[in-house]
C-alpha cells in the first residue's frame, strides 16, 4: 500500500538540506516501526519520494512524502497496480492489515524531532499519475517581511502592484543564458493575510503568495520579491524575508492531501 504523509518542517531544522533531510526521514521511518518496502537488487533503498524539496532556510507546515508500506491495501486495485506491487515482491492478500492512521501518526511523531511533526496520512494509488512529485503544480507561501524590506510599503500596496499588472518582466541570469521572462502567468494570487501570521521578531508584515511549483513550471517567492523591489525602485535584500510554505496543490488547486482515500 502506498501512503502520502503530510508533515511540517519548522524552526532550526529548516537549515537542514534536502539530502540530509531525506536521510533523517529514512531514520524516522525505520525507528517508527512501520513496515516500509525496499527496492530489490544489490543496493536496496526505501521506496520514498518527496513532492517538492524545500530550499535551505525555508519552512513548511504543509509538505508531503510518498512511501510504500507492506500492509494490505483495503481499496480495490486495478491490474496495473497489482502488477506494480508484485514487482516489489508484494502479494496484497498475504500482507497484514495496516495499523489505524492515528496509530501510524503517533509512531512517526514519537520517532521524530522538534520541528518535524506528522499531521496526516492518506492512501494513494500505485500509478505514476498519483505520485506527489509528478502532480504538484502550485504552492502557497506565507512570506514574513523584515521591517527594513521595502520600508514604508504596506502589503496591500505590494499585492496590488503585482495583481494589477498584465505582465511582470524579470531578467533571469544563469550560467547558460541571460534573458528576460514574464513571471506574471506563474502567479495565481498575492494578498495580505486576513489574520496575523507567525510572529517573528523584526518581521511584522506578511504577504501571501500562490504561484507555480513543480517540475514543469516553478517560480521562487524570492523572484517575486525581487521584481517588487525593482518596481518600487528599491534595492532587493535577499535576507529581508522568511519563507513558510503552507500548502502544495495539483491541477485545479486541489491540495495534495485531498487526493487519495482516507484511512481509518
Amino acid at each position: 500500500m502506498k501512503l502520502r504523509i503530510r508533515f511540517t518542517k519548522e524552526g532550526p531544522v529548516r537549515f537542514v538540506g534536502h539530502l540530509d533531510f531525506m536521510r533523517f526521514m529514512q531514520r524516522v521511518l525505520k525507528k517508527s516501526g512501520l513496515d516500509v518496502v525496499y527496492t530489490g537488487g544489490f543496493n536496496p533503498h526505501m521506496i520514498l519520494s518527496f513532492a517538492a524539496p524545500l530550499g535551505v532556510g525555508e519552512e513548511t507546515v504543509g509538505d508531503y512524502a510518498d512511501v510504500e508500506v507492506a500492509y494490505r491495501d483495503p481499496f480495490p486495485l486495478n491490474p496495473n497496480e497489482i502488477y506494480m506491487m508484485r514487482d516489489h515482491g508484494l502479494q496484497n492478500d498475504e500482507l497484514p492489515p495496516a495499523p489505524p492512521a492515528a496509530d501510524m501518526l503517533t509512531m512517526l511523531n514519537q520517532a521524530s524531532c522538534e520541528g518535524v511533526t506528522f499531521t496526516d496520512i492518506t492512501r494513494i494509488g500505485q500509478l505514476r499519475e498519483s505520485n506527489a512529485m509528478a502532480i504538484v503544480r502550485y504552492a502557497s507561501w506565507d512570506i514574513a517581511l523584515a521591517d527594513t524590506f521595502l520600508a514604508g510599503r504596506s502589503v496591500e500596496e505590494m499585492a496590488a502592484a503585482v495583481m494589477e499588472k498584465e505582465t511582470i518582466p524579470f531578467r533571469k541570469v544563469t550560467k547558460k543564458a541571460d534573458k528576460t521572462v514574464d513571471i506574471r502567468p506563474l502567479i495565481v494570487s498575492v494578498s495580505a493575510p486576513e489574520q496575523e501570521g507567525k510572529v517573528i521578531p523584526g518581521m511584522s508584515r506578511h504577504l501571501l503568495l500562490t504561484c507555480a511549483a513543480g517540475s514543469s513550471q516553478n517560480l521562487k517567492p524570492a523572484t517575486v520579491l525581487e521584481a517588487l523591489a525593482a518596481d518600487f525602485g528599491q534595492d532587493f535584500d535577499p535576507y529581508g524575508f522568511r519563507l513558510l510554505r503552507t500548502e502544495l496543490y495539483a491541477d485545479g488547486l486541489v491540495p495534495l492531501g485531498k487526493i487519495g482515500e482516507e484511512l481509518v
Side-chain angles (χ1 to χ4, degrees), residues 130-148:
S130 301
N131 185 279
M133 186 177 290
I135 65 175
V136 65
R137 294 291 181 271
Y138 305 98
S140 57
W141 300 86
D142 181 340
I143 307 172
L145 301 173
D147 296 339
T148 55

Side-chain angles (χ1 to χ4, degrees), residues 202-256:
M203 295 185 171
S204 58
R205 295 168 300 158
H206 287 254
L207 194 65
L208 304 183
L209 167 69
T210 300
C211 60
S215 55
S216 56
Q217 290 184 315
N218 188 73
L219 179 63
K220 296 180 179 179
T223 300
V224 178
L225 296 178
E226 189 171 352
L228 267 173
D231 188 53
F232 288 129
Q234 297 190 27
D235 293 332
F236 172 68
D237 179 8
Y239 304 104
F241 54 92
R242 186 161 158 179
L243 300 176
L244 173 69
R245 193 160 69 193
T246 55
E247 188 57 86
L248 289 168
Y249 306 92
D251 283 327
L253 288 174
V254 179
L256 263 60

Side-chain angles (χ1 to χ4, degrees), residues 9 12 50 77 79 118 123 163 196 200 219:
K9 183 184 178 187
F50 292 80
L77 298 171
F118 298 90
R123 177 266 184 191
M163 298 305 295
E196 290 188 7
I200 302 174
L219 179 63

Side-chain angles (χ1 to χ4, degrees), residues 174-207:
T174 64
K175 293 180 180 179
K176 297 182 178 180
D178 182 349
K179 59 182 180 180
T180 300
V181 297
D182 181 14
I183 64 172
R184 182 62 183 88
L186 304 181
I187 300 172
V188 177
S189 65
V190 181
S191 62
E194 295 181 359
Q195 57 187 18
E196 290 188 7
K198 186 175 182 179
V199 177
I200 302 174
M203 295 185 171
S204 58
R205 295 168 300 158
H206 287 254
L207 194 65

Side-chain angles (χ1 to χ4, degrees), residues 62-173:
D63 224 335
Y64 298 90
D66 292 349
V67 61
E68 183 82 38
V69 292
Y71 298 116
R72 187 184 310 136
D73 196 325
F75 297 92
L77 298 171
N78 66 39
N80 289 332
E81 289 181 306
I82 293 172
Y83 174 80
M84 292 182 73
M85 289 186 68
R86 288 177 179 170
D87 196 42
H88 297 308
L90 305 176
Q91 299 287 346
N92 196 48
D93 294 340
E94 300 175 2
L95 296 172
D103 290 354
M104 288 192 282
L105 286 174
T106 299
M107 295 163 69
L108 289 167
N109 284 319
Q110 287 178 344
S112 189
C113 70
E114 182 181 353
V116 180
T117 304
F118 298 90
T119 59
D120 193 33
I121 290 181
T122 54
R123 177 266 184 191
I124 59 171
Q126 299 282 339
L127 305 180
R128 174 172 170 76
E129 49 262 34
S130 301
N131 185 279
M133 186 177 290
I135 65 175
V136 65
R137 294 291 181 271
Y138 305 98
S140 57
W141 300 86
D142 181 340
I143 307 172
L145 301 173
D147 296 339
T148 55
F149 187 88
L150 298 185
R153 301 287 183 175
S154 69
V155 288
E156 288 81 7
E157 285 181 276
M158 298 180 199
V162 174
M163 298 305 295
E164 291 175 358
K165 285 185 171 59
E166 294 184 0
T167 62
I168 301 178
F170 180 80
R171 185 184 177 193
K172 187 176 182 180
V173 180

